[in-house]
Amino acid sequence: MLETAFASWSMEALLPRLAEIGVPAGRVRTLDEVYGWDQTRSQGLVVPVQHATLGPLELPGPPLRFFATDGTELTRSSHTAPPTLGEHDGSVRKWLEN
């Protein structure tokens, strides 16, 4: 029923009409659109890192933000790139031996 009701509307016409009558709505974005969106970047949801073999990368940032009771933000602000294959083999084996 919903598909039939909205099939004749374009997104460009429908979203302003829904807003006008008080129905919260938005278009579904692709991942490329989400990570290129100014709001995503302004909220720290994309973090730059330097990878040992790939160079500069952008990774998804933390989805949650944490604050102390005085309002100071406690969200982690430094991020590291994913490890290269085998980078931590020695330390993992040592840990497993204990």
Side-chain angles (χ1 to χ4, degrees):
M1 288 174 33
L2 286 174
E3 188 173 340
T4 302
F6 293 115
S8 64
W9 288 81
S10 70
M11 179 185 61
E12 291 78 17
L14 181 59
L15 289 179
R17 178 66 181 125
L18 290 173
E20 181 181 309
I21 61 173
V23 177
R27 72 183 178 89
V28 176
R29 300 174 192 273
T30 65
L31 285 176
D32 288 343
E33 290 171 328
V34 168
Y35 285 108
W37 194 18
D38 289 340
Q39 184 173 348
T40 302
R41 294 184 173 279
S42 72
Q43 296 298 311
L45 297 174
V46 177
V47 294
V49 296
Q50 184 68 30
H51 191 270
T53 57
L54 300 175
L57 294 176
E58 290 187 329
L59 301 175
L64 301 174
R65 298 171 96 172
F66 299 96
F67 295 86
T69 55
D70 66 0
T72 305
E73 186 167 4
L74 302 173
T75 308
R76 184 173 162 185
S77 61
S78 63
H79 303 277
T80 57
T84 57
L85 183 62
E87 181 177 343
H88 298 117
D89 283 0
S91 61
V92 171
R93 285 190 179 104
K94 186 175 181 177
W95 174 76
L96 288 171
E97 290 172 359
N98 294 329

XYZ file of all heavy atoms in Angstrom:
757
model
N 0.810 -1.186 0.000
C 0.000 0.000 0.000
C 0.865 1.266 0.000
O 0.568 2.221 -0.713
C -0.944 -0.003 1.200
C -2.077 -1.015 1.077
S -3.165 -1.223 2.532
C -3.234 0.351 3.279
N 1.932 1.245 0.816
C 2.817 2.413 0.849
C 3.520 2.611 -0.477
O 3.633 3.738 -0.968
C 3.851 2.269 1.966
C 3.332 2.460 3.379
C 4.416 2.141 4.395
C 2.805 3.869 3.581
N 4.003 1.525 -1.034
C 4.690 1.626 -2.325
C 3.766 2.212 -3.391
O 4.160 3.081 -4.161
C 5.199 0.248 -2.757
C 6.088 0.310 -3.971
C 6.723 -1.032 -4.292
O 6.794 -1.908 -3.421
O 7.143 -1.193 -5.449
N 2.534 1.778 -3.400
C 1.557 2.297 -4.351
C 1.304 3.787 -4.108
O 1.244 4.584 -5.040
C 0.234 1.513 -4.247
O 0.503 0.135 -4.502
C -0.799 2.017 -5.224
N 1.185 4.165 -2.847
C 0.893 5.559 -2.507
C 2.022 6.508 -2.897
O 1.780 7.637 -3.303
C 0.609 5.673 -1.012
N 3.274 6.035 -2.785
C 4.421 6.917 -3.037
C 5.087 6.705 -4.392
O 6.004 7.445 -4.757
C 5.467 6.751 -1.935
C 4.996 7.245 -0.595
C 4.822 6.360 0.454
C 4.722 8.587 -0.388
C 4.391 6.809 1.692
C 4.287 9.047 0.845
C 4.115 8.157 1.893
N 4.634 5.740 -5.154
C 5.298 5.394 -6.414
C 5.337 6.542 -7.419
O 6.296 6.677 -8.178
C 4.618 4.178 -7.049
N 4.361 7.389 -7.415
C 4.309 8.470 -8.409
C 5.102 9.708 -7.980
O 5.263 10.635 -8.763
C 2.854 8.860 -8.682
O 2.276 9.397 -7.502
N 5.610 9.727 -6.750
C 6.353 10.882 -6.243
C 7.841 10.734 -6.525
O 8.416 9.661 -6.367
C 6.179 11.005 -4.733
C 4.841 11.467 -4.282
C 3.714 10.702 -4.151
C 4.492 12.774 -3.881
N 2.681 11.455 -3.699
C 3.131 12.747 -3.510
C 5.181 13.975 -3.786
C 2.460 13.864 -3.065
C 4.511 15.096 -3.324
C 3.166 15.032 -2.988
N 8.492 11.838 -6.863
C 9.959 11.844 -6.910
C 10.448 12.191 -5.502
O 9.724 12.813 -4.714
C 10.476 12.892 -7.898
O 10.248 14.197 -7.397
N 11.664 11.795 -5.196
C 12.217 12.095 -3.880
C 12.289 13.611 -3.672
O 11.993 14.119 -2.586
C 13.608 11.489 -3.732
C 14.250 11.789 -2.402
S 15.933 11.209 -2.262
C 16.736 12.117 -3.560
N 12.663 14.336 -4.726
C 12.810 15.792 -4.634
C 11.482 16.477 -4.293
O 11.459 17.510 -3.640
C 13.376 16.364 -5.939
C 14.816 15.987 -6.204
C 14.994 14.557 -6.746
O 14.007 13.956 -7.227
O 16.109 14.041 -6.655
N 10.379 15.913 -4.742
C 9.064 16.484 -4.442
C 8.513 15.956 -3.121
O 7.853 16.697 -2.376
C 8.088 16.161 -5.571
N 8.773 14.694 -2.815
C 8.177 14.069 -1.640
C 8.773 14.559 -0.318
O 8.029 14.850 0.625
C 8.308 12.550 -1.730
C 7.694 11.752 -0.577
C 6.204 12.038 -0.450
C 7.959 10.266 -0.772
N 10.094 14.674 -0.235
C 10.709 15.053 1.040
C 10.247 16.429 1.532
O 9.893 16.563 2.715
C 12.228 14.962 0.953
C 12.776 13.531 0.886
C 14.286 13.541 0.773
C 12.330 12.707 2.077
N 10.212 17.458 0.691
C 9.697 18.740 1.191
C 8.219 18.667 1.605
O 7.809 19.299 2.580
C 9.864 19.695 0.002
C 10.896 19.071 -0.863
C 10.760 17.597 -0.659
N 7.439 17.884 0.892
C 6.012 17.743 1.239
C 5.858 17.062 2.599
O 5.047 17.489 3.426
C 5.283 16.949 0.148
C 3.834 16.719 0.430
C 3.030 18.023 0.434
N 1.638 17.715 0.748
C 0.954 18.276 1.732
N 1.494 19.203 2.464
N -0.287 17.926 1.956
N 6.632 16.010 2.845
C 6.576 15.331 4.145
C 7.005 16.275 5.260
O 6.398 16.299 6.333
C 7.441 14.064 4.127
C 6.922 12.914 3.263
C 7.951 11.791 3.187
C 5.585 12.400 3.776
N 8.045 17.065 5.020
C 8.503 18.041 6.021
C 7.410 19.070 6.305
O 7.180 19.446 7.464
C 9.777 18.724 5.535
N 6.740 19.493 5.273
C 5.667 20.495 5.393
C 4.539 20.016 6.305
O 3.977 20.795 7.075
C 5.124 20.793 3.994
C 4.039 21.819 3.922
C 3.563 21.993 2.478
O 4.409 22.188 1.589
O 2.337 21.917 2.259
N 4.246 18.722 6.243
C 3.140 18.199 7.064
C 3.624 17.564 8.367
O 2.863 16.941 9.090
C 2.258 17.216 6.250
C 3.060 16.004 5.781
C 1.581 17.928 5.099
C 2.225 14.922 5.111
N 4.925 17.726 8.652
C 5.450 17.278 9.946
C 5.868 15.835 10.029
O 5.984 15.295 11.126
N 6.113 15.197 8.897
C 6.553 13.803 8.911
C 8.075 13.776 8.754
O 8.601 14.205 7.724
C 5.904 12.989 7.771
C 6.442 11.556 7.754
C 4.394 12.999 7.905
N 8.800 13.319 9.781
C 10.254 13.272 9.650
C 10.651 12.224 8.608
O 10.168 11.084 8.635
C 10.742 12.881 11.038
C 9.568 12.279 11.729
C 8.332 12.819 11.058
N 11.483 12.610 7.680
C 11.900 11.695 6.623
C 13.202 12.178 6.020
O 13.558 13.352 6.119
C 10.817 11.614 5.537
N 13.902 11.294 5.401
C 15.133 11.628 4.696
C 15.433 10.531 3.710
O 14.901 9.423 3.805
N 16.303 10.830 2.792
C 16.616 9.803 1.797
C 17.681 8.857 2.343
O 18.479 9.224 3.204
C 17.056 10.436 0.491
C 18.389 11.071 0.493
C 18.624 11.715 -0.885
N 19.888 12.385 -0.885
C 21.035 11.799 -1.211
N 21.044 10.557 -1.609
N 22.158 12.465 -1.160
N 17.676 7.659 1.857
C 18.680 6.671 2.228
C 19.926 6.955 1.401
O 19.858 7.050 0.178
C 18.159 5.230 1.981
C 19.241 4.218 2.273
C 16.914 4.973 2.812
N 21.050 7.120 2.080
C 22.306 7.447 1.404
C 23.154 6.198 1.198
O 23.096 5.264 1.991
C 23.104 8.451 2.233
C 22.390 9.755 2.465
C 23.187 10.646 3.409
N 22.414 11.778 3.864
C 22.323 12.932 3.226
N 22.968 13.116 2.116
N 21.584 13.910 3.712
N 23.963 6.220 0.148
C 24.937 5.148 -0.055
C 26.091 5.378 0.921
O 26.238 6.474 1.483
C 25.503 5.170 -1.489
O 26.256 6.380 -1.665
C 24.393 5.067 -2.535
N 26.938 4.377 1.118
C 28.084 4.543 2.017
C 29.012 5.654 1.536
O 29.531 6.426 2.341
C 28.853 3.226 2.162
C 28.173 2.181 3.035
C 28.967 0.890 3.040
C 27.979 2.690 4.444
N 29.220 5.749 0.228
C 30.053 6.829 -0.302
C 29.464 8.186 0.050
O 30.193 9.118 0.404
C 30.204 6.709 -1.819
C 31.095 5.558 -2.238
O 31.849 5.036 -1.384
O 31.045 5.182 -3.427
N 28.160 8.316 -0.054
C 27.504 9.583 0.288
C 27.612 9.872 1.780
O 27.860 11.013 2.180
C 26.037 9.553 -0.136
C 25.831 9.576 -1.632
C 24.394 9.330 -2.038
O 23.665 8.589 -1.337
O 24.002 9.881 -3.076
N 27.433 8.846 2.611
C 27.522 9.033 4.059
C 28.911 9.523 4.442
O 29.054 10.498 5.185
C 27.191 7.719 4.814
C 27.557 7.825 6.291
C 25.720 7.374 4.656
N 29.957 8.869 3.948
C 31.311 9.236 4.354
C 31.824 10.490 3.667
O 32.802 11.087 4.106
C 32.265 8.051 4.189
C 32.042 7.031 5.281
C 31.440 5.816 5.016
C 32.379 7.327 6.588
C 31.199 4.904 6.028
C 32.138 6.425 7.613
C 31.550 5.219 7.323
O 31.305 4.339 8.329
N 31.169 10.947 2.621
C 31.520 12.204 1.996
C 30.701 13.379 2.523
O 30.987 14.535 2.228
N 29.709 13.107 3.326
C 28.766 14.097 3.837
C 29.447 14.991 4.867
O 30.136 14.533 5.775
C 27.610 13.341 4.471
C 26.369 14.084 4.788
C 25.955 15.280 4.308
C 25.340 13.628 5.679
N 24.732 15.612 4.835
C 24.328 14.615 5.681
C 25.169 12.498 6.458
C 23.175 14.499 6.441
C 24.016 12.377 7.196
C 23.030 13.372 7.192
N 29.259 16.296 4.757
C 29.874 17.253 5.676
C 29.517 16.970 7.132
O 30.351 17.102 8.018
C 29.459 18.687 5.321
C 30.094 19.170 4.036
O 31.118 18.590 3.621
O 29.569 20.130 3.440
N 28.271 16.590 7.386
C 27.846 16.328 8.766
C 28.608 15.143 9.356
O 29.008 15.175 10.515
C 26.342 16.080 8.835
C 25.853 15.894 10.252
C 24.341 15.807 10.356
O 23.630 16.096 9.420
N 23.851 15.395 11.501
N 28.825 14.097 8.573
C 29.567 12.931 9.049
C 30.978 13.343 9.440
O 31.490 12.974 10.496
C 29.620 11.849 7.950
O 28.293 11.491 7.600
C 30.374 10.620 8.407
N 31.618 14.128 8.592
C 32.988 14.564 8.851
C 33.063 15.534 10.026
O 33.974 15.452 10.845
C 33.582 15.166 7.593
C 33.730 14.101 6.517
C 34.389 14.595 5.264
N 34.633 13.469 4.385
C 35.661 12.639 4.489
N 36.563 12.815 5.410
N 35.803 11.630 3.657
N 32.102 16.434 10.156
C 32.135 17.415 11.249
C 31.935 16.762 12.611
O 32.355 17.306 13.623
C 31.079 18.500 11.029
O 29.774 17.988 11.247
N 31.312 15.597 12.640
C 31.067 14.882 13.894
C 32.195 13.919 14.264
O 32.092 13.174 15.230
C 29.738 14.127 13.822
C 28.538 15.029 13.672
C 28.392 15.964 14.862
O 28.450 15.549 16.014
N 28.222 17.244 14.581
N 33.273 13.908 13.478
C 34.403 13.027 13.779
C 34.131 11.573 13.460
O 34.749 10.681 14.044
N 33.210 11.314 12.544
C 32.872 9.938 12.210
C 33.751 9.362 11.101
O 33.550 8.230 10.672
C 31.388 9.846 11.835
C 30.441 10.223 12.974
C 29.005 10.256 12.489
C 30.599 9.265 14.140
N 34.708 10.151 10.641
C 35.727 9.692 9.706
C 37.058 10.140 10.301
O 37.224 11.307 10.640
C 35.548 10.315 8.303
C 36.670 9.884 7.381
C 34.210 9.933 7.721
N 37.985 9.186 10.484
C 39.273 9.536 11.077
C 40.413 9.173 10.124
O 40.429 8.093 9.550
C 39.485 8.850 12.445
C 38.495 9.355 13.463
C 39.398 7.350 12.340
N 41.350 10.093 9.947
C 42.501 9.794 9.100
C 43.559 9.027 9.897
O 43.794 9.320 11.068
C 43.016 11.183 8.706
C 42.606 12.067 9.834
C 41.333 11.476 10.393
N 44.168 8.035 9.274
C 45.275 7.288 9.888
C 46.357 7.060 8.830
O 46.089 7.138 7.631
C 44.828 5.930 10.476
C 43.841 6.116 11.612
C 44.238 5.030 9.414
N 47.549 6.770 9.295
C 48.657 6.471 8.398
C 48.951 4.977 8.497
O 49.347 4.484 9.547
C 49.888 7.300 8.794
C 51.068 7.156 7.878
C 50.822 7.771 6.494
O 50.066 8.733 6.363
N 51.439 7.215 5.483
N 48.750 4.243 7.421
C 48.997 2.800 7.396
C 50.423 2.535 6.930
O 50.935 3.231 6.051
C 47.990 2.115 6.465
C 47.990 0.632 6.580
N 48.803 -0.167 5.811
C 47.278 -0.198 7.382
C 48.591 -1.427 6.130
N 47.667 -1.467 7.076
N 51.051 1.525 7.503
C 52.457 1.230 7.213
C 52.720 0.925 5.743
O 53.768 1.282 5.213
C 52.928 0.069 8.083
N 51.801 0.271 5.066
C 52.041 -0.084 3.661
C 51.101 0.627 2.692
O 51.453 0.812 1.532
C 51.900 -1.609 3.448
O 50.610 -2.022 3.877
C 52.967 -2.371 4.222
N 49.930 1.041 3.140
C 48.945 1.661 2.252
C 48.998 3.187 2.258
O 48.384 3.823 1.415
C 47.533 1.203 2.618
C 47.294 -0.304 2.518
C 45.898 -0.647 3.029
C 47.475 -0.778 1.089
N 49.706 3.760 3.217
C 49.769 5.206 3.325
C 48.558 5.770 4.039
O 47.962 5.115 4.887
N 48.159 6.994 3.681
C 47.029 7.611 4.385
C 45.701 6.921 4.064
O 45.419 6.624 2.911
C 47.030 9.055 3.890
C 47.963 9.110 2.739
C 48.772 7.866 2.710
N 44.932 6.660 5.116
C 43.608 6.027 4.990
C 42.598 6.817 5.803
O 42.955 7.487 6.770
C 43.615 4.611 5.570
C 44.429 3.529 4.918
C 44.331 2.262 5.758
C 43.920 3.253 3.533
N 41.350 6.705 5.425
C 40.264 7.224 6.239
C 39.426 6.045 6.698
O 39.015 5.212 5.900
C 39.414 8.210 5.443
C 40.122 9.510 5.157
C 39.217 10.534 4.510
O 38.285 10.128 3.772
O 39.435 11.721 4.744
N 39.201 5.977 8.007
C 38.445 4.876 8.604
C 37.203 5.423 9.313
O 37.182 6.592 9.705
C 39.310 4.143 9.629
C 40.609 3.534 9.122
C 41.399 2.951 10.284
C 40.331 2.476 8.080
N 36.199 4.571 9.508
C 35.051 5.009 10.304
C 35.503 5.354 11.716
O 36.304 4.637 12.316
C 34.140 3.784 10.324
C 34.557 2.979 9.141
C 36.028 3.228 8.978
N 35.029 6.464 12.234
C 35.364 6.891 13.586
C 34.430 6.271 14.606
O 33.540 5.498 14.267
N 34.612 6.642 15.873
C 33.766 6.073 16.923
C 32.317 6.529 16.772
O 32.061 7.720 16.600
C 34.387 6.614 18.214
C 35.163 7.815 17.802
C 35.587 7.598 16.386
N 31.367 5.598 16.840
C 29.963 5.963 16.664
C 29.352 6.610 17.911
O 28.301 7.213 17.836
C 29.282 4.633 16.363
C 30.141 3.625 17.032
C 31.545 4.156 16.960
N 30.010 6.473 19.059
C 29.507 7.045 20.306
C 30.497 8.059 20.849
O 31.704 7.907 20.673
C 29.294 5.949 21.358
C 28.327 4.831 20.994
C 28.334 3.757 22.062
C 26.931 5.372 20.798
N 29.994 9.079 21.515
C 30.842 10.072 22.161
C 30.581 9.998 23.656
O 29.445 9.802 24.091
C 30.535 11.453 21.614
C 30.831 11.513 20.122
C 30.344 12.782 19.538
N 31.466 13.716 19.502
C 31.427 14.880 18.904
N 30.324 15.277 18.317
N 32.469 15.656 18.902
N 31.647 10.173 24.434
C 31.537 10.071 25.882
C 31.966 11.386 26.528
O 32.917 12.020 26.079
C 32.408 8.922 26.397
C 31.995 7.598 25.838
C 32.632 7.073 24.728
C 30.953 6.891 26.407
C 32.241 5.857 24.187
C 30.554 5.672 25.874
C 31.197 5.156 24.777
N 31.261 11.774 27.599
C 31.526 13.035 28.279
C 31.568 12.820 29.779
O 30.809 12.016 30.330
C 30.434 14.059 27.946
C 30.406 14.446 26.501
C 29.699 13.698 25.574
C 31.104 15.555 26.052
C 29.676 14.051 24.234
C 31.094 15.914 24.715
C 30.377 15.159 23.802
N 32.455 13.555 30.453
C 32.489 13.557 31.908
C 31.297 14.359 32.413
O 30.639 15.079 31.653
C 33.798 14.173 32.398
N 31.021 14.268 33.702
C 29.878 14.975 34.271
C 30.024 16.494 34.156
O 29.027 17.210 34.154
C 29.669 14.595 35.751
O 30.897 14.826 36.461
C 29.258 13.141 35.879
N 31.266 16.982 34.008
C 31.460 18.427 33.855
C 31.368 18.884 32.397
O 31.568 20.050 32.082
C 32.798 18.859 34.445
C 34.001 18.303 33.686
O 33.823 17.564 32.688
O 35.139 18.613 34.099
N 31.076 17.934 31.467
C 30.924 18.272 30.058
C 32.171 18.076 29.225
O 32.130 18.233 28.002
N 33.289 17.724 29.853
C 34.526 17.481 29.111
C 34.372 16.216 28.272
O 33.983 15.165 28.785
C 35.717 17.304 30.074
O 35.794 18.439 30.917
C 37.018 17.111 29.318
N 34.698 16.315 26.993
C 34.580 15.131 26.135
C 35.702 14.151 26.423
O 36.871 14.516 26.503
C 34.581 15.509 24.652
C 34.315 14.293 23.774
C 33.999 14.624 22.329
O 34.045 15.796 21.936
O 33.682 13.671 21.601
N 35.349 12.880 26.579
C 36.306 11.821 26.884
C 36.490 10.858 25.716
O 37.239 9.893 25.826
C 35.834 11.026 28.113
C 35.615 11.833 29.392
C 34.995 10.951 30.462
C 36.923 12.437 29.863
N 35.817 11.123 24.606
C 35.895 10.235 23.452
C 37.334 10.149 22.966
O 38.031 11.154 22.891
C 35.007 10.765 22.303
O 33.697 11.004 22.811
C 34.936 9.760 21.166
N 37.748 8.950 22.654
C 39.100 8.726 22.150
C 39.324 9.571 20.895
O 38.516 9.578 19.974
C 39.253 7.241 21.824
C 40.610 6.844 21.394
C 40.646 5.343 21.276
N 41.787 4.962 20.462
C 42.042 3.753 20.098
N 41.246 2.784 20.454
N 43.091 3.482 19.380
N 40.450 10.288 20.855
C 40.701 11.172 19.719
C 41.896 10.756 18.878
O 42.097 11.272 17.791
C 40.882 12.608 20.199
O 41.995 12.693 21.063
N 42.727 9.821 19.371
C 43.844 9.345 18.550
C 43.531 7.925 18.087
O 43.017 7.110 18.848
C 45.149 9.376 19.337
O 45.093 8.500 20.433
N 43.815 7.673 16.835
C 43.473 6.386 16.236
C 44.682 5.835 15.501
O 45.521 6.583 15.005
C 42.292 6.553 15.264
C 41.096 7.139 15.917
N 40.192 6.393 16.627
C 40.671 8.423 16.005
C 39.255 7.190 17.115
N 39.521 8.420 16.750
N 44.766 4.519 15.421
C 45.855 3.877 14.700
C 45.293 3.060 13.548
O 44.139 2.634 13.579
C 46.678 2.950 15.625
O 45.800 1.989 16.203
C 47.351 3.739 16.744
N 46.127 2.851 12.561
C 45.721 2.064 11.397
C 45.675 0.580 11.760
O 46.302 0.146 12.729
C 46.704 2.295 10.258
N 44.957 -0.212 10.984
C 44.955 -1.656 11.207
C 46.373 -2.200 11.039
O 47.169 -1.656 10.263
C 44.050 -2.209 10.107
C 43.319 -1.041 9.554
C 44.114 0.174 9.855
N 46.712 -3.270 11.745
C 48.060 -3.824 11.616
C 48.266 -4.499 10.259
O 47.308 -4.905 9.599
C 48.129 -4.858 12.739
C 46.707 -5.238 12.991
C 45.893 -4.013 12.686
N 49.516 -4.601 9.869
C 49.839 -5.353 8.661
C 49.815 -6.839 8.997
O 49.887 -7.227 10.167
C 51.226 -4.962 8.117
O 52.202 -5.178 9.146
C 51.254 -3.512 7.678
N 49.721 -7.670 7.984
C 49.663 -9.114 8.194
C 50.913 -9.576 8.944
O 52.035 -9.314 8.523
C 49.557 -9.840 6.848
C 49.421 -11.358 6.917
C 48.142 -11.757 7.653
C 49.414 -11.944 5.518
N 50.710 -10.211 10.086
C 51.810 -10.749 10.870
C 52.508 -9.747 11.767
O 53.441 -10.103 12.475
N 52.088 -8.518 11.761
C 52.768 -7.466 12.532
C 52.880 -7.790 14.015
O 53.875 -7.485 14.654
C 52.045 -6.133 12.346
C 52.677 -4.976 13.069
C 51.968 -3.657 12.811
O 51.194 -3.545 11.838
O 52.186 -2.722 13.593
N 51.875 -8.444 14.583
C 51.869 -8.721 16.020
C 52.050 -10.201 16.347
O 51.784 -10.621 17.471
C 50.584 -8.194 16.649
C 50.438 -6.721 16.515
N 49.406 -6.146 15.805
C 51.203 -5.700 16.955
C 49.543 -4.829 15.837
N 50.624 -4.532 16.515
N 52.511 -10.979 15.376
C 52.668 -12.424 15.610
C 53.500 -12.718 16.858
O 53.112 -13.533 17.692
C 53.322 -13.110 14.405
C 52.349 -13.311 13.258
O 51.171 -12.918 13.391
O 52.788 -13.843 12.217
N 54.642 -12.078 16.971
C 55.541 -12.351 18.100
C 54.903 -12.060 19.440
O 54.956 -12.889 20.360
N 54.280 -10.907 19.572
C 53.686 -10.548 20.862
C 52.475 -11.432 21.181
O 52.258 -11.785 22.341
C 53.303 -9.070 20.885
O 52.341 -8.783 19.892
N 51.726 -11.851 20.176
C 50.584 -12.731 20.418
C 51.068 -14.112 20.851
O 50.540 -14.693 21.803
C 49.672 -12.827 19.170
C 48.615 -13.914 19.345
C 49.013 -11.482 18.892
N 52.065 -14.622 20.170
C 52.612 -15.940 20.571
C 53.163 -15.904 21.991
O 52.953 -16.829 22.772
C 53.680 -16.372 19.579
C 53.115 -16.849 18.272
C 54.188 -17.512 17.402
N 53.575 -17.976 16.182
C 53.695 -17.367 15.007
N 54.436 -16.288 14.874
N 53.094 -17.860 13.936
N 53.861 -14.830 22.323
C 54.406 -14.696 23.685
C 53.276 -14.662 24.694
O 53.351 -15.301 25.741
C 55.257 -13.429 23.762
C 55.965 -13.290 25.085
C 56.896 -12.091 25.069
C 57.614 -12.002 26.408
N 58.581 -10.907 26.425
N 52.224 -13.914 24.391
C 51.070 -13.832 25.295
C 50.418 -15.195 25.464
O 50.018 -15.581 26.556
C 50.074 -12.813 24.728
C 48.779 -12.739 25.479
C 48.545 -12.155 26.676
C 47.523 -13.288 25.051
N 47.236 -12.282 27.042
C 46.579 -12.979 26.042
C 47.109 -14.006 23.929
C 45.242 -13.372 25.958
C 45.781 -14.380 23.844
C 44.876 -14.057 24.860
N 50.313 -15.980 24.352
C 49.691 -17.304 24.416
C 50.523 -18.295 25.226
O 49.987 -19.242 25.795
C 49.449 -17.845 23.001
C 48.328 -17.148 22.229
C 48.328 -17.620 20.781
C 46.975 -17.376 22.887
N 51.812 -18.106 25.264
C 52.686 -19.012 26.001
C 52.523 -18.852 27.511
O 52.850 -19.762 28.264
C 54.154 -18.769 25.624
C 54.467 -19.225 24.219
C 55.874 -18.802 23.772
O 56.591 -18.136 24.548
O 56.240 -19.132 22.641
N 52.050 -17.715 27.952
C 51.918 -17.459 29.406
C 50.676 -18.033 29.976
O 49.696 -18.288 29.681
C 51.977 -15.958 29.702
C 53.347 -15.411 29.382
O 54.335 -16.118 29.501
N 53.393 -14.165 28.988
